[in-house]
Amino acid sequence: MVHRVAVIGAGASGLTSIKCCLDEGLEPTCFERSEDIGGLWRFADDADGERVTVYRSVITNTSKEMSCFSDFPCPEDFPSFLPHSLLLEYFCMYARHFQLLRHIRFKTTALSVRKRPDFDSSGQWEVVTETEGIQESHVFDAVMVCTGHFQKPHLPLASFPGIETRFRGRYLHSLEYKDAETFRGKRVLVVGIGNTGCDIAVELSRVATKVFLSGRSSTWVISRVSDHGLPRDMISTTRFNHFLDWLLPSAIMKRIMFQKLNSWFNHETYGLASVKSPNFNFIVNEELPFCMLSGTVVLKSNVKEFTENSAVFEDGTTEENIDVVVFATGYVFSFPFLEESVSSSLKNNRTLYKCIFPPQLERPTLAFIGLISLTGSVMAAAEIQARWVAGVFAGVYKLPPASRMMADVLKKQPPAERNPSERKSLKLNFIGYTSEIASFAGVKPSVLRLLLTDPRLALAVFFGPCTSYQYRLVGRGQWSGARTAILTQWQRVLKPLRTRVIKDSASPHSWCWLGLLALPVALVVGFILSKCPQPGWVPRAKFLL
């Protein structure tokens, strides 16, 4: 039975881990090396080189309703997509509301986390920390590592001949990027075509003389805003859409997806992606297509080599007079405080059982929270992870035997990657993953049961956005406000937009007709699900006709 839990890191994952431990009657102590909460999201101009922070202009890619913690909705006057300052304010509100700050030791670095000599029987860990030069040793019954992905930058200079020996300009990792002002009037090459690389390229295009964006993978660009002006993730991340993904052949779903993406702009025309590309990546950026149309951002192939002042690309082209190179090449897993026997096996998050527990440990008293790449919000996923982990530590839930966990890990290992920073193959489906963890914790809602007892809520759960409030409807940690939070989530989306009301606009009650039209569909879906003979059953597409 676990009592004392060490939580390493006071970012989003650390804060919810503290709360979940308290909910289960555990005694958490959080060690945060900086002077405040927020982790990655606490921007600072003068952040030390060891602390990774967002850059000044960052806005969340996932909406507030899809990202917030399940029993603490974002204020209704907050915009749907939050600048880092507002997200940090939300964290502060959350920490104050649940009185989490008293459990955090600031300016305290975790130097080492090692098994106790009697670990086989006790499962305990010895944690050595340092505060203002003074080291201290502690014994904990369990440890939750909440430091996330972004710790050690991946800077593959060896893959770019000449960058260190011939190139006379400046080069840096995106970790060092804070704002665009220092790049004014420069010719800049951004290497890496993920979210960070494209964000930086777009921002630099406003002040730089020219920006070149180099990437090796096919990239599909999506907008935060849906066709009707609502947050795209709230429209697309629904249990109904997830059901269709499961129901229809993947080839059909891919064709529908590519057609939808190309309806905004033709990605092949822009040189970004083709429907025939075997590997592809998704990024969120509303401005990149226009920057390419206006010529302020020029897309290039992968860099072959650097000369004194130019970059030579694999397609044979050369760009001269490059002043600065920004490597947006991602990060690699790094847990220098963990003992070698544990850290050596952490190749990626799929070497962990359900991306959380190291399966080889004699006792399941070490967990990684938020160390996951998803098609949706990592914050929401981190919370459901922490709820399950705290329950395991408290003895409420049991993990399978180590042999079964190891078998599950081996079965889900991704293919070998060319580049350690490219975690595309590690990105999991948001609803599939959170629903699986929620089922382990006994908090996944049954749509069929809701359809019989609360049809209005059932429709909102199945056809509406899969927000984290759904995992507070039933089971351990049930929240009385969950139903109201689900039924009012669109009100919180629309509230900050109602700063200027147009006269004679359509009544919001007209939306109710959508619910009436959806009811027969829900009944049909319920019938299909009720006929499933076993979990592995795959229905045919004819049931949709």
Side-chain angles (χ1 to χ4, degrees), residues 262-527:
N262 276 331
S263 68
W264 181 23
F265 68 94
N266 190 305
H267 285 66
E268 190 167 0
T269 300
Y270 281 65
L272 284 163
S274 166
V275 294
K276 298 179 181 179
S277 302
N279 300 309
F280 50 85
N281 183 30
F282 292 93
I283 66 162
V284 178
N285 199 299
E286 295 78 23
E287 299 180 69
L288 181 62
F290 175 73
C291 288
M292 294 175 67
L293 273 179
S294 63
T296 55
V297 172
V298 177
L299 190 64
K300 303 294 293 186
S301 63
N302 194 45
V303 176
K304 180 181 178 181
E305 63 176 334
F306 287 93
T307 64
E308 290 184 351
N309 63 354
S310 63
V312 181
F313 299 91
E314 290 182 349
D315 61 3
T317 61
T318 300
E319 294 296 343
E320 303 285 350
N321 301 318
I322 300 296
D323 298 303
V324 186
V325 179
V326 180
F327 286 97
T329 44
Y331 296 79
V332 293
F333 288 179
S334 177
F335 305 99
F337 50 84
L338 284 178
E339 66 173 66
E340 178 65 19
S341 65
V342 178
S343 61
S344 61
S345 63
L346 293 174
K347 303 293 189 300
N348 54 63
N349 56 14
R350 296 287 185 92
T351 58
L352 302 169
Y353 179 65
K354 305 305 177 186
C355 301
I356 300 173
F357 291 101
Q360 75 278 10
L361 291 180
E362 298 86 350
R363 297 280 179 175
T365 55
L366 175 66
F368 293 81
I369 306 299
L371 190 67
I372 187 169
S373 295
L374 292 170
T375 58
S377 169
V378 173
M379 274 177 55
E383 184 193 29
I384 196 65
Q385 286 180 328
R387 290 175 66 186
W388 181 42
V389 168
V392 169
F393 288 168
V396 177
Y397 314 120
K398 298 293 184 183
L399 293 179
S403 57
R404 280 179 54 192
M405 291 195 289
M406 285 294 296
D408 183 82
V409 166
L410 292 174
K411 182 174 65 175
K412 296 180 179 179
Q413 279 298 297
E417 296 174 290
R418 292 182 304 172
N419 186 337
S421 70
E422 294 176 355
R423 297 190 300 272
K424 296 180 289 296
S425 61
L426 304 186
K427 190 163 284 192
L428 302 177
N429 180 274
F430 175 78
I431 295 181
Y433 180 79
T434 56
S435 292
E436 181 181 35
I437 303 302
S439 66
F440 294 154
V443 297
K444 179 184 175 183
S446 167
V447 177
L448 288 177
R449 188 173 292 113
L450 286 175
L451 197 60
L452 297 174
T453 59
D454 193 340
R456 183 188 177 197
L457 180 61
L459 291 175
V461 167
F462 191 70
F463 291 101
C466 185
T467 47
S468 59
Y469 317 127
Q470 295 187 10
Y471 301 125
R472 291 286 181 178
L473 290 170
V474 297
R476 198 172 182 86
Q478 183 176 352
W479 176 44
S480 60
R483 182 182 187 275
T484 301
I486 293 170
L487 297 179
T488 59
Q489 54 198 359
W490 285 112
Q491 294 177 25
R492 289 188 295 279
V493 172
L494 297 176
K495 175 65 185 303
L497 298 176
R498 299 194 183 282
T499 56
R500 176 174 177 249
V501 179
I502 305 297
K503 292 182 179 180
D504 302 324
S505 59
S507 169
H509 295 292
S510 61
W511 287 86
C512 296
W513 288 103
L514 294 178
L516 294 176
L517 293 173
L519 182 58
V521 180
L523 292 173
V524 171
V525 171
F527 173 77

Side-chain angles (χ1 to χ4, degrees), residues 47-59:
D48 60 81
E50 295 183 357
R51 190 172 80 83
V52 180
T53 76
V54 294
Y55 37 94
R56 188 185 303 278
S57 63
V58 158
I59 295 175

Side-chain angles (χ1 to χ4, degrees), residues 190 196-206 211 213 288 296-297:
V190 179
T196 300
C198 291
D199 276 356
I200 291 176
V202 166
E203 183 166 271
L204 290 177
S205 70
R206 303 185 185 108
V211 177
L213 178 61
L288 181 62
T296 55
V297 172

